[in-house]
Amino acid sequence: MEAGLESPVDEEGVHDSFNQLIAEQSQNGGLDALELQELQRELDEEGRDNVAYLSSPGHDYGRRQERWEAEREDDGRQTDSLAGERWSSATLKILSSMPSRTIGRSRGAIISQYYNRTMQLRRRRQSRPSIRDFSRSARPSIRGYGMEGDTTDSEGAEKREHLVNNLQNLSVSDRVRMLRGMPLSVAEKSELRYMQSWYSWLSFIHSLQLWQVALKRVSGRFGTGVLSYFLFLKTLLFFNLFLFLVTGAFLVLPQAVHPPLFSQGRPSFSGLELLTGAGYFSDSVMYYGYYSNYTLRKSCRVDTGGQNMSISNGTGMDCPSKRHSYNMPMAYFFTIGVSFFITGIILVYSMSKSFGQSFRIDKSHSILAMKVFCSWDFKVLKKSSVKLMSENICTQLKELLAEVNHKHVKNTVCQKLWRLTVHGIAWTICIASTTGCVIGIYYFSEHMHQVRQDEEASMLALPVVVSVINLLLPGLFNAAAWMEDYDSPSVRTYVAIGRNLMLKVSVLGVLCYHWLGRVAADPCWEDFVGQELYRFLIMDFIFTLLDTLFGEFLWRLFSEKGLKRRRRPVFDIARNVLDLIYGQTLAWLGVLFTPLLPAVQILKLLLLFYIKKGSVMMNCQAPRKPYRVSQMTTIFITLLCIPSFIGASVCVTYTMWSITPSSSCGPFRQLKTMFQAGKRWVEELEKDNPSLSMLARAHAYLVENPFFLFVGAGIFLIVIYFHSQVVDGQRKIISLLQEQIENEGEDKKFLITRLQSIHEQKRTPTRRLTKESVKP
Amino acid sequence: MPSNMSCVLCCSRLHGRYRELAPHLVPLDYTNNPDIRVPLTLIITMPELKENPFRDRIVETFSEDGHGNLTFNDFVDMFSVLCETSPRELKTIYAFKIYDFNRDNFICKEDLEKTLNKLTKGELTPEEVTLVCDKAIEEADLDGDNKLSFADFENMISKAPDFLR
C-alpha cells in the first residue's frame, strides 16, 4: 500500500477500486502496485457514474500535486470529517487518492474530461440517448449519455488527439464555447493549434465596445447596479439605431431624393421649431404628410419635365420604364411593419435569455451560502466604495442570521390591522392621485384641442403638463412608501416600480385615446400627432435635465454646504430606467407618424448618457441598499417588451387597421385604411401577372380571415403548455438526482468504515501473533 | 503564442501592463520566452486587484509555483479568466480554487471562515462567523461530508444569478 503510490502524474497509480480492494484485503495482507493498476480501470467505470465527482476542478501541474502529496504523507494523521476516528495511514492513502479528490487535477485528466464532454456534445447534436440505453438501476443515472467506455486508452497524447478530433467535428460556436470553458492555460490551448482565432476575436471585439472606458469608471465607483442603467441606455441606443437605419434607408432617402410635386412654401426657420416641431419642420421629410402616395419614378421626371404626373394611386401613366420605380405607400407600410416585427423578435429573444439567466427552476434554499460567495461585486475598484460594500454585506449577513435564528415577532391582531390600514391609505393616495391626473390630462387635452391657436408656443402646454406630472408624482409615491415603511427593500422597489408603471401606462393610454380618437377626425391629423410626439419627447428630455440639475446637483450642494451632511443623494436606478422606457415608448409610438423620430431619440440618448454620467460621478454616492442586478435587469427588459413595445405596436396596428387616413396628406390618402395599401398592391400584382392570382387569393384568405389567427394562437398556447410540463419534469429529476447524491455520500462513508474495519481485523491477528511471539 | 494581428495587439497591451509592474525585470522582447516572474507584491498593486479582498488568493491560484509569482503566461491566463466575457463555468472553477485556501480540493469550514473574514474585514464577531459558516455548509453541502466539494459549490452557484466578477 505504502509503496504503491508514485508521483501522481501517472494517473494509473492514483485510482483504486473499493470493491476489489475489500476483496483483496480479505484475501491477503495487502496490495502491490501492479494490482493497483488493474483495479483503477474498474474504478474508472464506477467513478464516472457520479457526475458530482467528475467535475472537480483542476489546473495543476504535476509539481504542485507532488508537493501536496508530500505534505499529506508527512501529516498522516489528518482527521477525516467522515467520522471522528483516527484512520490508519493506509486508509488515508486510499482516501487521498479517491476519484473525487484527484480527477481533474492533472492535465491528462482535464483533457480526458473534456474529451468526454465533446463526445457528449457531438452525440447530443446528433440524437438524444434513448430510454432503452439506460441501465436498469433503481435510481436514475446518467450512464446513457456515454460517459463510460471511451476512456479505455490512457495515453496522454492519444487523449489529446481524440480531443482535437472531436473539437474539429463540432460546429464553430460549440468549439469556441468548449475552448473558452476549459481550465487549461493559454499556452496549452494554443497547442491545440488551429483554434487560435477565437482568442484574438474575443479581445478584438471587446475592444470595439462603445463607451467602454466610461462604463468601467462608473462601475468601478458605483458597482453593477448603476452600471445596469447605463447598459440599458446603450441597448436602447442600438434599438433606435436599427430603426433609424431602416426608416432612413427605405423611407427618408427615397423621398428626400424625389421631393413631392405639390408642396407648399415653408415658413422660415425660427428657433422655436426645435421645441415644437412645427414651423420649418412641418412640411418636411420629418413628418408623414410629406410622403407621396404614388410610385416614385426616376425616369419620368426627365421626360415630362415634372408636370402632369398622375397622382392616382399606383401606376404612373406616361412612363414607359418600370425599372427605377419605388412604390412609396407599400414601402411605408412594409418598412414600419417589418421594423416593428424585427424589433419585437429581438426584444423577445433578449427577454428570454435574460429570464434564463436570472430565474432558476429550483427553489433555492442556500441563501446564506449564496450571500457569502456571490454578493461581492468585483467590479468595484474605489476604496471607499469597497468599504461601503463590505459594510453592506456585514449588515445583510447579520440580518439573515437574525432571521434564521430567532423566531419572528408575531404581530398582534391590532398591529396587523394598523399595518393594513397604512398600506390601504398609501395605495388610495397613489391611485387617487393617478386617476386625478389622468382625468386632468383628459380634459386639458380636449380643451387644448378645441382652442387650438395659431401661436406655436401654446402647443407646448400639454407636453409640459404631462412632464410635470411624470416628475412630481413619483415623489409623492416615494413619500407614501416612506410612510408605509416596508421591511424588505426588494418589496419596496417592486411596489415603487409598480406604482410608477401604473402612472405612466395610464398617462400614455389617455394620450393615445386623445390622439387616435379625437384628433384623428381632423384633416392631416397624422402630421399633428407626429408633431405632438416630437414635442413630448423633447419636453421629456428637458425635464430629465432639470431633474438631474435640481435633484442631484443642487441637492448635493445644499446638503453639503447648507445641512453640512456628508451623505450625497443616491442614484435612483429604478426611476431612471422607467423614464428611459417611457421615452422609448413615445419613440415607438411616433415612428409611424414621424419616420425621423428615432434619429431624435438617438441624439437624446447620446446627450443623456454624458449628462447622467457626469452627474452621477459628481453628485451621487454608491447605493447603500443591496441591489439584485440580474433580476432587476430582467424586470426592466420585460417592462420594455411587454407594456412598452406591445402597447406601442398595438396602437400602431390599430391605426393601420381601423383608422381612416387623412385624405389630403400622406402616402395613404384616399384609402379607407392604411392596410388597404397592401391589398391594393396584391390586386395590382394580380392584374399585371394573372398567374399570381393564387397568391392574391391566399393573401386575401389568410390575412382577412380571423380563423387563422385563432389557430395560430391556439398552437402557441399548446407549445407554452408543453414547455411548462417539461420544466415540471426537470424539477422532479433534479430532486431525484439530489437524493442520489446523498445516497452516494452514504455509500462512500459505509465503504470507508468497512475498509477500515477489515484492515483492523487483518492487523489485530498479526499484532496478537507478534505479541505472543514476544512473550516468552 | 498565437500570431494573429489583433491577438498581437491584445497581447502587446497585456504585455505593456505586465511590464509596467516591473520595468526592470520584464524585458521588451518576449520572443525567447524568458523565464521571468513578477512577484506577488508587485502584482497586487494593479488597480483592478488593489482593493479586492481576495487579491492574494487570486494571484496565487494562477501562479505556477503556487506562491503568487506570475510569469507572463500566468498573467494572460488570469486576465482571460477574470475578463467579463469569460464563461461562467470557467469562473466557477477558478472561484472554487480561490476560495479553497488550503488547496485540498474542498472548501472546508476553515476556508469558509477565512473567506468571510476577508469579505467583512473583521466586522462580524467570531460567534457570528462560526454561525454563518455552519449554516452555509449546512445549506450547500449535498453529500453530507461537512465540506463543500466542487459539485456542491457549482450547484449552489448555478442558482445564484448574481455571480459576477
Side-chain angles (χ1 to χ4, degrees):
Chain A
M1 224 22 231
E2 279 72 15
L5 291 171
E6 321 266 304
S7 162
V9 174
D10 55 85
E11 277 180 70
E12 287 79 64
V14 150
H15 298 162
D16 293 314
S17 158
F18 279 124
N19 276 342
Q20 282 265 346
L21 202 60
I22 289 176
E24 295 287 335
Q25 287 274 24
S26 23
Q27 283 169 25
N28 50 23
L31 284 168
D32 43 64
L34 284 169
E35 281 163 284
L36 258 177
Q37 290 185 33
E38 281 174 24
L39 296 173
Q40 59 84 24
R41 283 221 178 89
E42 315 262 340
L43 197 65
D44 260 343
E45 300 281 329
E46 223 129 11
R48 297 230 190 275
D49 186 61
N50 195 333
V51 181
Y53 296 121
L54 251 189
S55 45
S56 294
H59 176 205
D60 233 304
Y61 294 98
R63 287 173 257 164
R64 223 183 296 172
Q65 182 75 355
E66 270 181 289
R67 205 166 33 93
W68 176 85
E69 219 33 61
E71 285 170 16
R72 273 266 171 154
E73 274 173 81
D74 294 340
D75 186 13
R77 254 177 252 94
Q78 283 192 32
T79 48
D80 200 317
S81 61
L82 280 176
E85 301 179 33
R86 288 235 306 228
W87 303 106
S88 66
S89 55
T91 316
L92 285 173
K93 274 261 167 15
I94 295 182
L95 284 177
S96 69
S97 47
M98 274 199 301
S100 66
R101 302 190 194 204
T102 55
I103 285 183
R105 277 272 191 79
S106 62
R107 203 178 319 163
I110 296 174
I111 289 184
S112 86
Q113 178 191 350
Y114 272 87
Y115 170 74
N116 284 337
R117 282 197 188 169
T118 50
M119 212 57 218
Q120 201 182 341
L121 196 59
R122 274 178 72 187
R123 285 202 192 135
R124 205 183 298 152
R125 291 281 181 259
Q126 292 159 14
S127 65
R128 293 197 175 279
S130 67
I131 304 290
R132 245 174 280 130
D133 294 338
F134 280 83
S135 61
R136 296 201 171 271
S137 54
R139 303 182 292 215
S141 114
I142 36 86
R143 263 191 242 248
Y145 282 88
M147 300 296 267
E148 79 284 1
D150 296 309
T151 55
T152 44
D153 46 13
S154 44
E155 278 290 336
E158 230 178 286
K159 278 264 173 68
R160 193 176 291 148
E161 285 300 312
H162 285 301
L163 177 62
V164 165
N165 189 33
N166 269 353
L167 282 170
Q168 265 171 328
N169 285 324
L170 290 175
S171 70
V172 178
S173 56
D174 284 341
R175 193 191 306 158
V176 166
R177 217 172 8 107
M178 268 293 150
L179 273 172
R180 280 169 69 179
M182 278 196 221
L184 294 174
S185 76
V186 169
E188 290 174 339
K189 284 188 199 178
S190 67
E191 285 171 26
L192 306 169
R193 241 177 306 130
Y194 61 94
M195 288 166 258
Q196 298 168 9
S197 46
W198 68 270
Y199 190 57
S200 55
W201 271 117
L202 166 81
S203 51
F204 189 56
I205 288 179
H206 198 60
S207 65
L208 285 181
Q209 304 245 338
L210 184 64
W211 293 324
Q212 204 195 4
V213 174
L215 288 176
K216 191 170 172 195
R217 282 229 306 256
V218 167
S219 68
R221 211 160 122 198
F222 296 98
T224 36
V226 175
L227 182 69
S228 68
Y229 167 77
F230 290 97
L231 289 176
F232 192 74
L233 209 153
K234 209 164 85 158
T235 318
L236 285 182
L237 189 72
F238 287 131
F239 274 121
N240 285 301
L241 205 62
F242 163 72
L243 262 181
F244 171 60
L245 287 172
V246 169
T247 55
F250 292 106
L251 293 182
V252 177
L253 214 55
Q255 192 64 62
V257 168
H258 297 274
L261 301 166
F262 307 110
S263 57
Q264 303 135 341
R266 267 190 248 160
S268 59
F269 185 83
S270 68
L272 200 55
E273 274 83 33
L274 292 174
L275 282 180
T276 60
Y280 185 72
F281 287 151
S282 58
D283 195 20
S284 68
V285 82
M286 203 156 139
Y287 295 114
Y288 171 97
Y290 187 77
Y291 289 82
S292 352
N293 71 330
Y294 44 82
T295 309
L296 306 169
R297 289 181 202 277
K298 197 162 145 195
S299 45
C300 284
R301 198 161 279 270
V302 177
D303 291 336
T304 62
Q307 307 261 333
N308 289 333
M309 264 288 295
S310 161
I311 50 170
S312 69
N313 306 330
T315 55
M317 301 298 161
D318 305 329
C319 307
S321 138
K322 284 212 169 198
R323 230 175 262 154
H324 300 289
S325 70
Y326 193 76
N327 193 337
M328 190 40 101
M330 279 312 296
Y332 206 97
F333 181 72
F334 273 129
T335 309
I336 303 286
V338 168
S339 53
F340 263 81
F341 185 65
I342 294 180
T343 310
I345 290 184
I346 297 175
L347 262 177
V348 168
Y349 173 71
S350 39
M351 188 173 82
S352 65
K353 217 167 66 146
S354 195
F355 249 106
Q357 280 170 7
S358 70
F359 289 103
R360 300 286 147 164
I361 299 177
D362 209 9
K363 286 276 160 107
S364 87
H365 300 291
S366 51
I367 320 160
L368 207 59
M370 281 204 300
K371 260 279 139 49
V372 171
F373 287 120
C374 308
S375 53
W376 186 264
D377 189 351
F378 284 93
K379 279 211 161 57
V380 179
L381 300 177
K382 197 158 175 263
K383 194 168 179 134
S384 52
S385 308
V386 162
K387 191 163 176 302
L388 208 64
M389 192 160 54
S390 164
E391 282 170 13
N392 266 350
I393 294 183
C394 259
T395 326
Q396 287 172 50
L397 284 172
K398 286 192 193 185
E399 280 171 15
L400 267 177
L401 268 182
E403 213 179 291
V404 157
N405 285 335
H406 309 295
K407 295 248 159 65
H408 281 291
V409 176
K410 291 265 181 189
N411 284 338
T412 63
V413 179
C414 211
Q415 275 182 324
K416 276 195 197 153
L417 264 177
W418 171 245
R419 282 206 73 80
L420 265 173
T421 17
V422 170
H423 281 306
I425 292 176
W427 273 103
T428 322
I429 294 177
C430 295
I431 294 182
S433 53
T434 310
T435 324
C437 290
V438 163
I439 293 178
I441 293 177
Y442 180 78
Y443 285 116
F444 186 65
S445 60
E446 195 177 336
H447 167 77
M448 289 304 299
H449 185 227
Q450 281 163 359
V451 195
R452 219 177 341 165
Q453 275 133 12
D454 300 318
E455 270 182 56
E456 271 182 51
S458 67
M459 293 197 276
L460 289 174
L462 185 62
V464 167
V465 163
V466 170
S467 298
V468 165
I469 287 176
N470 274 330
L471 197 65
L472 293 180
L473 236 57
L476 179 66
F477 297 155
N478 275 346
W482 173 79
M483 181 181 78
E484 285 176 279
D485 194 22
Y486 285 103
D487 293 323
S488 129
S490 54
V491 172
R492 182 191 301 176
T493 316
Y494 292 147
V495 166
I497 291 178
R499 286 177 181 161
N500 234 321
L501 194 67
M502 178 181 70
L503 170 70
K504 294 199 155 65
V505 165
S506 345
V507 163
L508 279 175
V510 79
L511 285 172
C512 280
Y513 170 74
H514 167 66
W515 287 324
L516 298 178
R518 284 195 213 120
V519 178
D522 294 349
C524 212
W525 58 272
E526 293 98 344
D527 260 14
F528 181 70
V529 173
Q531 286 170 10
E532 283 271 270
L533 280 162
Y534 174 83
R535 287 192 280 267
F536 269 83
L537 211 63
I538 298 288
M539 276 300 134
D540 181 51
F541 175 59
I542 291 177
F543 273 84
T544 313
L545 282 181
L546 286 175
D547 174 45
T548 311
L549 191 68
F550 287 110
E552 293 170 14
F553 179 58
L554 287 179
W555 182 251
R556 175 188 63 112
L557 284 179
F558 177 62
S559 81
E560 278 187 353
K561 307 272 162 61
L563 298 176
K564 300 272 191 254
R565 267 192 288 170
R566 288 233 52 184
R567 295 266 293 266
R568 291 169 162 199
V570 174
F571 187 74
D572 190 351
I573 303 170
R575 195 164 70 89
N576 281 291
V577 171
L578 280 175
D579 282 340
L580 281 179
I581 294 179
Y582 172 74
Q584 189 57 40
T585 318
L586 289 174
W588 275 329
L589 278 172
V591 172
L592 178 63
F593 307 111
T594 312
L596 276 181
L597 205 61
V600 176
Q601 175 79 341
I602 288 174
L603 281 171
K604 176 182 152 196
L605 286 174
L606 282 172
L607 286 171
L608 206 60
F609 179 84
Y610 291 108
I611 292 169
K612 280 284 174 186
K613 179 181 96 78
S615 159
V616 152
M617 299 295 275
M618 262 201 328
N619 305 327
C620 295
Q621 66 168 8
R624 303 204 127 236
K625 300 260 157 57
Y627 186 78
R628 295 157 75 181
V629 178
S630 37
Q631 216 174 37
M632 296 306 276
T633 314
T634 310
I635 288 179
F636 292 141
I637 202 133
T638 312
L639 287 178
L640 186 68
C641 184
I642 295 195
S644 167
F645 179 74
I646 300 276
S649 43
V650 161
C651 277
V652 166
T653 314
Y654 175 71
T655 311
M656 283 188 163
W657 204 280
S658 320
I659 301 188
T660 321
S662 62
S663 48
S664 54
C665 59
F668 301 108
R669 52 193 112 157
Q670 287 150 23
L671 284 175
K672 238 174 51 174
T673 64
M674 296 189 194
F675 185 65
Q676 288 214 337
K679 239 175 90 171
R680 206 164 276 242
W681 178 66
V682 173
E683 282 173 10
E684 245 182 66
L685 265 186
E686 203 186 343
K687 220 188 331 171
D688 289 338
N689 207 342
S691 58
L692 288 176
S693 62
M694 278 298 291
L695 175 71
R697 254 187 290 152
H699 173 263
Y701 197 55
L702 270 175
V703 173
E704 293 179 12
N705 199 334
F707 174 65
F708 284 97
L709 212 66
F710 281 121
V711 167
I715 293 178
F716 197 55
L717 284 171
I718 289 174
V719 167
I720 291 177
Y721 175 72
F722 177 71
H723 277 290
S724 76
Q725 291 299 306
V726 167
V727 164
D728 266 343
Q730 283 176 345
R731 216 176 267 144
K732 288 200 188 99
I733 290 203
I734 287 175
S735 59
L736 281 175
L737 282 173
Q738 271 177 344
E739 225 183 87
Q740 185 185 7
I741 291 177
E742 282 170 24
N743 286 333
E744 299 285 343
E746 295 290 319
D747 282 352
K748 185 171 89 174
K749 282 189 224 167
F750 167 76
L751 289 171
I752 289 174
T753 43
R754 266 217 74 188
L755 181 70
Q756 174 74 356
S757 66
I758 288 174
H759 196 81
E760 290 293 317
Q761 269 176 31
K762 276 288 126 203
R763 215 192 269 178
T764 36
T766 52
R767 252 196 233 140
R768 243 183 280 135
L769 273 171
T770 52
K771 273 191 200 156
E772 281 172 11
S773 64
V774 163
K775 279 186 202 163
Chain B
M1 281 267 119
S3 55
N4 272 11
M5 177 62 179
S6 27
C7 192
V8 165
L9 265 170
C10 132
C11 272
S12 68
R13 229 183 303 155
L14 273 177
H15 183 246
R17 303 268 335 246
Y18 188 61
R19 190 148 189 278
E20 73 190 16
L21 290 170
H24 50 282
L25 272 180
V26 178
L28 267 173
D29 179 15
Y30 241 78
T31 44
N32 304 326
N33 268 341
D35 186 21
I36 305 283
R37 286 153 200 274
V38 176
L40 176 72
T41 44
L42 288 177
I43 307 240
I44 57 179
T45 59
M46 291 187 73
E48 286 90 349
L49 291 175
K50 206 160 53 146
E51 297 299 331
N52 193 323
F54 298 104
R55 53 186 179 270
D56 293 321
R57 274 301 299 155
I58 292 176
V59 180
E60 274 170 26
T61 311
F62 286 96
S63 69
E64 218 175 279
D65 60 0
H67 290 302
N69 305 312
L70 297 186
T71 63
F72 184 55
N73 275 350
D74 299 333
F75 190 74
V76 169
D77 279 344
M78 182 169 76
F79 273 97
S80 73
V81 171
L82 294 181
C83 161
E84 267 170 22
T85 52
S86 118
R88 200 181 148 108
E89 297 79 27
L90 198 60
K91 286 187 183 165
T92 313
I93 290 175
Y94 280 101
F96 184 76
K97 287 208 263 203
I98 287 170
Y99 291 136
D100 181 15
F101 282 79
N102 55 6
R103 296 191 214 139
D104 62 348
N105 236 15
F106 282 92
I107 295 182
C108 55
K109 196 155 161 232
E110 291 77 34
D111 292 335
L112 204 54
E113 283 179 2
K114 284 196 200 139
T115 308
L116 203 58
N117 282 326
K118 279 206 196 279
L119 271 182
T120 59
K121 297 193 206 285
E123 294 266 335
L124 291 178
T125 66
E127 298 88 40
E128 285 173 336
V129 170
T130 324
L131 255 167
V132 170
C133 293
D134 284 336
K135 261 270 114 226
I137 290 188
E138 203 186 296
E139 283 171 354
D141 188 21
L142 286 177
D143 51 9
D145 58 357
N146 273 344
K147 295 202 269 208
L148 299 184
S149 68
F150 180 68
D152 303 329
F153 184 74
E154 194 182 26
N155 182 41
M156 179 197 49
I157 294 285
S158 69
K159 294 185 196 151
D162 284 327
F163 179 62
L164 311 156
R165 237 174 207 255

